[in-house]
Amino acid sequence: MNKDFDVCIIGAGVIGLAIAARLSRRYSIVVVEQHARPGTETSARNSEVIHAGLYYPPGTLKESLCLRGKQLLYDYCQQRHIDHRPIGKLIVSPVKDHPRLQHLETTAARLAVPLQRLSQREISTMQPGIKAAEALLSPTTGIINSEQLMLALQGEAESNQAIISLHTRFERAVRANDLWQLELHTTDGPFRIHSQYLINAAGLSATDIYNYCQPDDTTRVDLYPARGHYFSYQGGHPFRQLVYPLPEPGLAGLGIHATLDLGGRLRFGPDVEYLTNQQLQQADRYQVSPARKQAFTEAIRQYWPGLDASRLMPDYAGIRPKISPPAGPAADFDIRRDPQPGLFHLLGIESPGLTSSLAIAEYLEQELAG
């Protein structure tokens, strides 16, 4: 049995493409993607924010990989001429001396991440129209064109002879003669390849692939898909930075925040709506119901009372591959080496996955070398 590739990566979202770009410097790579284009699920349906790294528990992969990823991502954007901008973020509080403000300041000091507390007067000067007693300014938070990022990663991988195989569905994998034998299916029918390493970076499908590879149910990982909706704002607005409410307990989400794209367009979101597996398969899973407008209006007016709700329009939705139940605290990134040789799983890669993408690729390179 001959090896076709050193590494097969399942999933061509931003994580899979980042891993492909990194590993293609040393290994022969194939990336299999079931959709017609890379990054059409979670990677294309988020806030496009480069996070500073303040929200995650100490010692977690989310914290370390977000911090490292932020540095790598800003450098990569400069090198590859990817549109981005470190416009900063205000984390606003309705009251002074809120304990969560102090918690974020303590975290920032521990991590040496710049953070500045602003008074009500300073907020009004910096961001007119915002209602808050105090705020924290995070100057290293930024925005990025995620499509350009994925195109750059794909281009780097392909320039190193990596193959991105679209319309290619993973069916099964078995270990044989020290190689992974993968059964795949394309529009032309089934075919088979062999690789030394197999990396499961399939996003919303990653838990299904992981569970398929386990000998029994004792190590099963469940998926709790969480849909987040976005509304766009039509016309002019006063926003110059991103504006976030205080983070929600347990980090189920970061609240309905105000984000800007690189063209200055304002949008709000996401909220959090957990889906059943049946809902996850429905054709309308990415639709945004106008009925959610009232809840968005109420949340936004907590920090922007001047909102003109008539200019708030349903925009898009994304689905986060959460591996923690609604009642529990948010799970860390789960990057695990399978007991079977040469197999790696990336589970629960939600926010800050985009920010962490290049650091996750670096982490996987070290795991393969180890």
Side-chain angles (χ1 to χ4, degrees), residues 179-190:
L179 293 175
W180 282 101
Q181 178 177 291
L182 282 84
E183 306 289 343
L184 305 170
H185 196 282
T186 71
T187 52
D188 295 325

Side-chain angles (χ1 to χ4, degrees), residues 100-139:
R100 286 188 215 158
L101 292 180
Q102 181 58 55
H103 174 74
L104 290 170
E105 286 179 319
T106 301
T107 300
R110 174 174 60 84
L111 300 174
V113 174
L115 198 65
Q116 178 186 354
R117 189 178 288 222
L118 302 179
S119 67
Q120 189 174 46
R121 177 176 294 180
E122 290 170 321
I123 297 165
S124 297
T125 301
M126 179 173 289
Q127 186 62 82
I130 294 300
K131 174 187 174 184
E134 282 186 310
L136 297 175
L137 172 63
S138 169

